[in-house]
Structure formats: C-alpha cells, structure tokens
Amino acid sequence: MTDKDWMSLALEEARIALAEGEVPVGAVLVHDGQCIARDHNRREQAHDPTAHAELLCLRRGAEQLGDWRLGACTLYVTLEPCPMCAGALLMGRVGRCVFGAADAAKGCCGSVYDLPADPALGGGTAWTAGVMEAECAAVLAEFFGGRRGSAR
C-alpha cells in the first residue's frame, strides 16, 4: 500500500471522530506493511487530555509488538502532531511520521517547531507532510466550521 492508501484509513478514523463530536483526527500505525493499530481522538469520550489519535495508536502498537521501540513503524495521521504527540514519536523511536494537514497553531513537525529535528532530543523520526492534505483539512474545517456556526 502507498502513503495515500494508509492516509485514507486514517481519514476513515477522522470521520468517525467527527461523527462522535471529537476533533476529527485519525491515525494508523503500520509495521512491516500491516496496520497494527488505528484510532481517532477520544479526549471528550475518555475525559483524557492525552487521548490523541497518535498516542492511542502508539500505545496499542507497542502492545501488539511487545516492545515500546517502534523504529520499524510508520505513523499516518491526518493532522500534524502537536508537541505532546511529536514528543511521543521521539520517545517511542517511531521511524517515520506521515501527516496530512499542517497545524499552524500547534504543529511540531515543521509548522510551529520541528521537534523531531531538534539535535538536543536525539531526533530519529523522519516526517513527510501534505499527504492528502486537502481531504484532511476539509474534515477539520467541517468540524470547526460547524462549531463556529452553533450557539454555545
């Protein structure tokens, strides 16, 4: 499968999050050409500030592999990782991260900051930006556009 194929699965997860009222971010963790974890944001459901799609996938993937070292894995995520998630990529030694939409407010794989490239942190996680960017951004725009239009 290609990066676009895997990102399509992450988008399916983002759409599930949208239907559940969560910020629509989806992620898929791939090891040796197989999906070993897929999930979406669950912060509202879990009442957990760390229940980001990326972290949920990393946890499940580490369980599946029986190892916290995820160097042979690629994480596909619809939105550029935030500081917490970019840090988790490094701490889990994830080999590669592929994301769709950039996050100009909190993105830490090149937008606001490039955490994986910081030499003080040892680096090691390569990243690729913009895979299915328009589709990923559209799901986020649908969510945030709807929220702005609703009375709160």
Side-chain angles (χ1 to χ4, degrees), residues 90-105:
L90 289 174
M91 295 296 101
R93 299 182 185 166
V94 175
R96 182 173 177 235
C97 176
V98 178
F99 66 87
D103 184 348

Side-chain angles (χ1 to χ4, degrees), residues 9 15 17 23-24 29 33-34 44 49 56 62 64 72 76 81 100 103 112 116 121:
L9 293 179
R15 289 185 183 105
V23 174
L29 187 65
Q34 299 293 316
E44 299 299 329
L56 297 170
Q64 289 290 322
Y76 293 86
D103 184 348
V112 174
L121 301 175

Side-chain angles (χ1 to χ4, degrees), residues 55-116:
L55 294 182
L56 297 170
C57 280
L58 295 181
R59 287 179 192 137
R60 191 165 298 119
E63 288 172 9
Q64 289 290 322
L65 296 175
D67 193 349
W68 61 268
R69 294 167 195 87
L70 302 172
C73 293
T74 299
L75 181 73
Y76 293 86
V77 61
T78 57
L79 180 65
E80 180 180 1
C82 71
M84 176 177 67
C85 294
L89 292 171
L90 289 174
M91 295 296 101
R93 299 182 185 166
V94 175
R96 182 173 177 235
C97 176
V98 178
F99 66 87
D103 184 348
K106 295 180 184 82
C108 280
C109 288
S111 289
V112 174
Y113 186 65
D114 190 353
L115 199 74

